[in-house]
Amino acid sequence: MTPNLGQGACQALEDAVVLASAVAGAGPAGLADYDRLRRPRTQMIVRRSRRIGELAHWSAPVPVAARNAAMRLMPRSSFTRSMGPVVDWAP
């Protein structure tokens, strides 16, 4: 996972909670449950982090200026809403 969302440690903690629960309920067979439960979420976060990283690393002056202008014009609430799927998690 790229570091663009700052989710590495958070995802490790989520992994630990889900893994402990899956293995406690089913032993080693719980690993399949763990994978089934975690894969969609982690893949979503990896994709988001990669997209943000791609935008953050633009270097051509015109696209960078357009990106920066768009970011300044966006309401703060849109950033909060966009991060909802990443930060809203419950075991």
Side-chain angles (χ1 to χ4, degrees), residues 6 9-10 15 27-28 34 36 38 55-56 81-82 87-88 90:
C10 295
D15 285 343
Y34 163 79
R36 179 182 52 76
R38 289 297 294 158
L55 291 173
R81 270 194 314 279
S82 73
V87 298
D88 289 344

Side-chain angles (χ1 to χ4, degrees), residues 19 22-35:
L19 182 60
V23 172
L31 292 177
D33 288 336
Y34 163 79
D35 185 61

Side-chain angles (χ1 to χ4, degrees), residues 7 10-11 15 28 31 35 44 63 65-66 73 77 83-84:
Q7 284 291 304
C10 295
Q11 292 307 302
D15 285 343
L31 292 177
D35 185 61
M44 176 270 296
L73 294 172
S77 62
M83 288 301 292

Side-chain angles (χ1 to χ4, degrees), residues 36-88:
R36 179 182 52 76
L37 293 169
R38 289 297 294 158
R39 188 176 297 266
R41 176 166 170 74
T42 56
Q43 287 178 339
M44 176 270 296
I45 292 173
V46 165
R47 282 190 303 270
R48 282 176 180 248
S49 184
R50 185 179 306 127
R51 282 193 307 257
I52 288 171
E54 288 169 356
L55 291 173
H57 289 96
W58 286 355
S59 60
V62 173
V64 167
R67 176 201 63 205
N68 293 350
M71 296 291 281
R72 280 191 298 275
L73 294 172
M74 291 178 71
R76 201 173 289 265
S77 62
S78 66
F79 292 108
T80 303
R81 270 194 314 279
S82 73
M83 288 301 292
V86 175
V87 298
D88 289 344

